[in-house]
């Protein structure tokens, strides 16, 4: 029997590693056509005319749709599902987002026409014959300049390109605290724009059944039920019960596959129109252009301290780039998922944050691994390290002085959240020990002797995951609840299916979920099948993002398992002619305490399906229980990362020589899987800090980093072997005591790396001249700038 | 990719004939550059003439002080060749650091040199070692071969058949890879040849070029310090999101210094 805490190899790996996974593009639908989307080559232009006549006559073409066809058939605007109210209580600006541009294109990659043909090549050939007459307009690309008076307008109905001007905290009190400060540290920083780069590009395949009027959409979704809800209730009007959404094996998402995009929407809509199946898989170049990007903040922050370095108040002013249209959860990311994390691990009593969200002629920006929390962590942990160096206090010591004490939980922060649990100092201690923090000065001196600059950086992060208590997010503007569903469906022979509303696209749910049920019910792993991703198989569920699957989805599974045990107990009591009160459930068996009478769970299951001798007066037959779990709070994983770098000042190359991460994820179900999540997260965080950058030409709005020739993904040789450690304070409010581990690496690593880079550059006075990504060029220029 | 006629001739003469007959033909070697170009619809040749079946174009021969490499010899073959490693170790090492395993198993020396990508590695070796490019029509000295961005002395329908490298008493290549593509952002090949030191730079300019001043300095004093003071002008060098012309100019000096040190 698997136990919680065992390092069990991933059961899904055999399938994935032998090429037996089944992704959307692998599906063979009968009489399938293929779609190609003609995309805007301009960042901003008026479409004067589109002539599709020649293209329609091209070989193999089945149909071509333009923005007019979509509008004529009353397809709704793509929606943003989170209403953020501005400073004055007004809802954010929500400009229309047609699935195909009607008369204006607003970013390079905006959809202009959908070409459907017998083969993909024919669709692509035909698209070249579509004549679009554009009037090119000036583009607003820079998130700061787009808010300037006179900037080119992205949407006519959004004056000044301002989506909202939002605030959290009490400004007057914060200002008053600043007036009493012994020292104020100021920081300007840019959180660079990232492109998610899931290994599998987005894809959609849809069919329409003329006989029943049912639609099926196979798509790369992290949340197929949410996709169905949005498509049904808001965009296409296909009733939910007539639309099945299936997300089969999905090769990575990192947030980018949460959202409901134009392409997938059009594929299902058009399948109904042409009454034939349609398939579309993004080319890598389209992924670069049209997957929702991540981050992209410009921030000024100030931290007020007393003479001992105690934080008195924190003030933040951020401009967040939302791109040309609002993606599905775009508004929430730089507000409720960002400003609420600005207390970090510290007792800072007063915090004020102002966020202005801006439209630009760039791809939409939305949640990307960490979503808001990496932005908050990078800011807090950068300014804390800067403050330490200004105050001449050791960076670890300054953190320690300001940590929330272990006996202060639950801890109410000034930015809305109530931290449930944590114990930060032992994490920092362990990280310092693993990193040999004490020996850093010696290593710096040795490096200096050979002309290298060494630096050490700390990041002590907090995050809120296990998203989320429905009533809380509802009060903040979310359009959905964020509970999760589960069903445990036994078969008469004693094996079972776990049906979950979570979705695995790399997170190893098939192993972890089976493991917790194996532990709880005493059933071997190979008797358990995890089913997810099909709206016609699993109960309505909210999907996977925000490190929620185990804390929320796993909790729902535990609740359903409790119902199985309760029902089994009644059956066992009946079979053993014992009182229910005397029965205990241990190692998969119901026993009468103090006797040798026992009924294995399998026998109770069999009795439930073949109820010849059964407590029919008390129970229905069958062993199939479902549960919905709505968390009572977020979970709050925390940890400390310490990064050590060595910089070659001749070339600007930053070499990570040591990387330590100590995390408190609460209880750990499968340490191997957790390590994998941490490794991947750190790799992405290092990518943001040193390598990755989505760059648009500031004038033309062309994506300059539109392929792997120019967009630098982290590779194995960019990374050292990580040293990991754990501290455990179980989550007090979910049945597994788990907190979530999917995003922590990516949340913390940028600050750890950049604090190390700045520490190294401080030796040549260049610490304030570097932004992410600290590429060789950027580092060299920082060193050599006068 | 647009449709094209595919040919796989068995001899150089047949390949040239096929190209002459085509309205807009293109030779294909490893296809590592050509195929992506076709897939992105950036080129639309009427005919693609695959040189892969021409046995004469493949192989490595060492003859006295000359290493001759057939045009269709793959990077992986050069990297793994004991003969190359013995005669010009820097050349084997250069080949071993081109792209990744898949690219090295397909990409060819002839394709790389014919293409004259500004960021390709081989051109630096060809120029620094003073190699001779042999075609179906003539022999071309390295100094006369690279003409500009993706531009060489090759005429329409001319096939590189082999490249001959004279050995050098000392040689080394230092590559500063573009962080994203891992092509050379700056690569410097230095060689102590029979006719004196030669220094060739790739990645920094429109095509590989020599740095006379460094060569003169090395002729006087073969040491890293000799080139440390030589700065190439940034004017006219490549600039992109990964490196400004100034940064590339700086890297030329740094890589030259390191190459001289590595050459011993
Ligand atoms: C992912 C990736 C990474 C790479 N990294 C590097 C790198 O780090 N460094 C580097 O130097 N290169 C790199 N390359 C380029 C690669 O190594 C090849 O050198 C290059 O693609 C050309 O060689 P090929 O044999 O593939 O030529 P092809 O792509 O087949 O042809 C290229 C051009 O040369 C012409 N041609 C080919 N052979 C001949 C001939 N014998 N005579 C005349 N004309 C000819 C063709 O008509 C075509 O125009 C990389 C390529 C890829 C795809």
């Amino acid at each position: 029997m698997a136990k919680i805490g065992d390092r069990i190899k991933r059961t899904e790996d055999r399938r994935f590693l032998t090429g037996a996974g089944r992704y959307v593009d692998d599906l063979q639908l009968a009489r399938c056509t293929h779609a190609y989307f003609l995309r805007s080559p301009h960042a901003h232009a008026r479409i004067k005319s589109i002539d599709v006549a020649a293209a329609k006559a091209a070989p193999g073409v089945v149909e071509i749709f333009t923005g007019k066809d979509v509008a004529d058939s009353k397809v709704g605007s793509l929606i943003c599902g989170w209403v953020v109210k501005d400073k004055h209580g007004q809802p954010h600006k929500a400009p229309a987002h047609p699935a195909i541009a009607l008369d204006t294109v607003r970013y390079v990659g905006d959809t202009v026409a959908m070409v459907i043909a017998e083969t993909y090549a024919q669709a692509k050939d035909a698209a070249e014959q579509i004549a679009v007459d554009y009037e090119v307009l000036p583009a607003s690309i820079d998130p700061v300049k787009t808010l300037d008076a006179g900037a080119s307008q992205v949407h006519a109905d959004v004056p000044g390109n301002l989506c909202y001007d939002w605030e959290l905290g009490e400004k007057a009190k914060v200002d008053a605290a600043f007036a009493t400060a012994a020292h104020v540290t100021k920081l300007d920083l840019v959180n660079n724009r990232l492109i998610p780069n899931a290994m599998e590009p987005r894809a959609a395949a849809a069919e329409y059944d003329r006989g029943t009027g049912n639609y099926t959409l196979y798509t790369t979704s992290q949340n197929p039920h949410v996709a169905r809800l949005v498509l049904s209730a808001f965009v296409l009007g296909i009733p939910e019960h007539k639309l099945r959404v299936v997300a089969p094996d999905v090769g990575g998402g990192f947030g980018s596959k949460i959202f409901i995009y134009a392409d997938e929407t059009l594929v299902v809509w058009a399948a109904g129109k042409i009454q034939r199946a349609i398939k579309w898989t993004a080319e890598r170049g389209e992924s670069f252009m049209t997957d929702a990007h991540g981050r992209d903040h410009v921030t000024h922050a100030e931290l007020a301290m007393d003479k001992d370095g105690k934080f008195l108040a924190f003030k933040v002013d951020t401009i967040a780039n939302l791109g040309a249209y609002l993606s599905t959860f775009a508004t929430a990311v730089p507000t409720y998922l960002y400003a609420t994390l600005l207390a970090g691990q510290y007792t800072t009593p007063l915090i004020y944050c102002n966020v202005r969200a801006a439209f630009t002629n760039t791809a939409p920006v939305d949640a990307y691994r960490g979503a808001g929390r990496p932005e908050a962590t990078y800011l807090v942990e950068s300014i804390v390290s800067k403050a330490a160096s200004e105050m001449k206090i050791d960076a670890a010591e300054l953190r320690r002085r300001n940590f929330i004490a272990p006996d202060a939980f639950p801890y109410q922060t000034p930015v809305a959240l109530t931290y449930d649990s944590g114990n930060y100092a032992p994490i920092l201690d362990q990280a310092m020990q693993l990193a040999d923090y004490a020996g850093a000065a010696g290593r710096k001196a040795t490096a200096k002797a050979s002309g290298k600059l060494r630096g050490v950086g700390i990041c002590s992060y907090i995050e809120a995951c296990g998203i989320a208590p429905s009533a809380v997010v509802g009060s903040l503007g979310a359009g959905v609840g964020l509970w999760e569903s589960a069903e445990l469906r036994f078969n008469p022979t004693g094996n079972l299916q776990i049906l979950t509303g979570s979705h695995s696209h790399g997170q190893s749910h098939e192993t972890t979920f089976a493991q917790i049920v194996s532990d709880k019910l005493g059933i071997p792993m190979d008797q358990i099948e995890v089913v997810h991703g099909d709206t016609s198989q699993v109960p309505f569920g909210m999907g996977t993002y925000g490190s929620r699957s185990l804390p929320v989805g796993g909790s729902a599974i535990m609740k359903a398992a409790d119902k199985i045990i309760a029902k089994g107990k009644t059956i066992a009591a009946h079979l053993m002619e014992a009182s229910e009160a005397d029965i205990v459930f241990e190692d998969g068996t119901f026993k009468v305490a103090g006797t040798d009478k026992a009924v294995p769970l399998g026998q109770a299951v069999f009795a439930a399906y073949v109820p010849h001798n059964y407590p029919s007066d008390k129970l229905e037959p069958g062993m199939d229980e479902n549960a919905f779990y709505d968390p009572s709070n977020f979970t709050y994983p925390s940890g400390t990362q310490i990064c050590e770098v060595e910089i070659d000042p001749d070339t600007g190359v930053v070499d990570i020589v040591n990387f330590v991460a100590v995390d408190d994820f609460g209880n750990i179900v499968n340490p191997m899987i957790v390590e994998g999540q941490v490794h991947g997260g750190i790799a992405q965080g290092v990518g943001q800090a040193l390598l990755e950058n989505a760059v648009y030409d500031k004038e033309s709005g062309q994506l300059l980093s539109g392929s792997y020739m120019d967009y630098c993904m982290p590779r194995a040789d960019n990374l050292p072997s990580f040293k990991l450690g754990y501290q455990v304070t179980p989550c007090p409010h979910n049945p597994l005591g788990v907190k979530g581990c999917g995003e922590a690496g990516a949340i913390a690593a940028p600050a750890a790396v950049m604090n190390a880079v700045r520490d190294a550059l401080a030796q040549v006075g260049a610490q304030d001249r570097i932004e992410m990504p600290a590429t060789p060029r950027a580092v060299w220029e920082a060193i050599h700038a006068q | 990719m647009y449709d094209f006629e595919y040919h796989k001739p068995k001899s150089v003469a047949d390949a040239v004939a096929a190209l002459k007959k085509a309205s807009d033909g293109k030779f294909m070697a490893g296809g590592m550059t050509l195929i992506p170009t076709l897939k992105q619809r950036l080129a639309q040749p009427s005919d693609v003439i695959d040189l892969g079946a021409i046995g004469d174009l493949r192989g490595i021969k060492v003859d006295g002080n000359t290493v001759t490499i057939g045009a269709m010899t793959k990077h992986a073959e050069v990297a793994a060749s004991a003969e190359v490693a013995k005669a010009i170790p820097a050349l084997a090492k250069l080949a071993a650091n081109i792209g990744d395993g898949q690219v090295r198993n397909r990409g060819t020396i002839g394709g790389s040199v014919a293409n004259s990508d500004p960021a390709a590695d081989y051109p630096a070796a060809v120029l620094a070692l003073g190699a001779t490019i042999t075609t179906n029509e003539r022999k071309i000295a390295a100094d006369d071969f690279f003409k500009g961005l993706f531009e060489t002395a090759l005429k329409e329908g001319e096939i590189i058949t082999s490249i001959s490298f004279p050995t050098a008493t000392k040689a080394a290549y230092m590559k500063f890879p573009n962080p994203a593509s891992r092509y050379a952002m700056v690569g410097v090949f230095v060689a102590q040849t029979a006719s004196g030191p030669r220094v060739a730079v790739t990645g920094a300019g429109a095509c590989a070029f020599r740095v006379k001043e460094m060569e003169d300095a090395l002729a006087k004093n073969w040491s890293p310090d000799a080139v440390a003071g030589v700065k190439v002008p940034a004017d006219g060098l490549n600039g992109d999101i990964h490196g400004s012309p100034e940064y590339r100019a700086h890297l030329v000096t740094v890589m030259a210094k390191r190459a001289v040190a590595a050459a011993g």
Side-chain angles (χ1 to χ4, degrees), chain B residues 203-228:
Chain B
C207 65
F209 62 89
R210 286 171 63 187
V211 185
K212 272 303 277 169
E213 247 191 286
M214 286 186 177
E215 293 176 356
D216 295 344
L218 288 172
K220 285 192 209 110
N221 169 22
W222 179 275
S223 79
D225 286 347
V227 292

Side-chain angles (χ1 to χ4, degrees), chain A residues 125 128 648 650-651 777, chain B residues 2 41 180 240 247 250 258:
Chain A
D125 286 342
E128 289 184 3
D648 176 352
D650 279 347
T651 58
R777 171 194 186 158
Chain B
Y2 301 105
R41 300 185 161 215
D240 54 31
Y247 180 50
H250 167 82
R258 291 181 184 183

Side-chain angles (χ1 to χ4, degrees), chain B residues 7 22 34 91 96 109 112 125 136 166 175 183 201 220 229:
Chain B
H7 310 265
L34 186 65
L91 188 61
I109 190 167
S112 177
N136 56 323
K175 170 178 182 174
Y183 271 82
V201 175
K220 285 192 209 110

Side-chain angles (χ1 to χ4, degrees), chain A residues 680-690 745-747 749-750 753 772:
Chain A
I682 295 172
Q684 271 175 312
V686 168
Q688 168 158 35
L690 298 182
I747 286 171
V753 174
M772 296 193 292

Side-chain angles (χ1 to χ4, degrees), chain B residues 27 29-34 75 99 108 112 120-121 160 175 182-183:
Chain B
F27 294 127
M32 290 292 93
T33 295
L34 186 65
H75 308 331
T108 66
S112 177
D121 294 300
I160 299 179
K175 170 178 182 174
R182 303 254 172 124
Y183 271 82

